[in-house]
Amino acid sequence: QVHLIESGGGLVQAGGSLRLSCTVTGSTFRDTMGWFRQAPGKERQFVASINWSGSQTAYEASVEGRFTISMDNAKNMVLLQMNSLKPEDTAVYYCAGTGRTSRAVVDIAWYDYWGQGTQVTVSS
C-alpha cells in the first residue's frame, strides 16, 4: 500500500518561498506524481505534475514560472519549490500519485492515492 507524507508548509509573506516535500513509501516509485491544492470553499485544483523519469512536467497556468516540481528518486521524494508566492496561493497542498500512466497528467481523475495535505498560508 502506498503512503504519501507531505511536509514543508507554513506561513510566509507575499514574495517569499517555500519548498514542499512528499515522501513516498510502499511503492516502486515509478509512478507519475502531482501536487494539487484546495482553498476554503473551492474545489481541489491541479498545480503541477511530473512523470517518474522527470522527463515530463505540467503546470497550472497561474503557477508556471514560479513553481517547480521535481523528483528525488534516491530519496523517494517529490518536491515542489514555490517562489514569488502570492496570497492567492494560500491553500492546503496535497501530493498525489498514479501508476496508470507514464506521462505527466493534469486531470485529477488519473490520481489514485493521496497524502493528508499540508497548509500553505501567504500573507499580504
Side-chain angles (χ1 to χ4, degrees):
Q1 187 173 3
V2 181
H3 290 281
L4 306 178
I5 302 173
E6 301 102 333
S7 62
L11 173 64
V12 65
Q13 289 189 332
S17 298
L18 283 174
R19 189 177 80 161
L20 304 184
S21 300
C22 174
T23 301
V24 184
T25 62
S27 167
T28 58
F29 205 49
R30 287 183 174 264
D31 290 354
T32 287
M33 302 299 296
W35 286 96
F36 289 75
R37 66 186 178 186
Q38 189 166 18
K42 296 189 176 181
E43 292 187 352
R44 195 165 296 189
Q45 175 193 31
F46 169 77
V47 176
S49 176
I50 187 168
N51 67 342
W52 75 269
S53 67
S55 62
Q56 292 184 15
T57 58
Y59 294 94
E60 194 270 329
S62 70
V63 308
E64 190 149 19
R66 299 189 297 123
F67 292 10
T68 303
I69 189 171
S70 61
M71 289 280 214
D72 185 337
N73 291 310
K75 297 181 180 179
N76 278 19
M77 292 178 65
V78 184
L79 307 173
L80 185 68
Q81 178 66 42
M82 306 187 295
N83 299 328
S84 302
L85 283 161
K86 304 175 181 180
E88 51 264 42
D89 294 318
T90 296
V92 177
Y93 283 69
Y94 296 90
C95 180
T98 176
R100 294 186 283 134
T101 179
S102 60
R103 300 176 290 111
V105 288
V106 172
D107 192 339
I108 194 171
W110 276 104
Y111 292 87
D112 296 320
Y113 51 91
W114 294 81
Q116 293 300 306
T118 185
Q119 176 70 45
V120 171
T121 303
V122 184
S123 63
S124 58

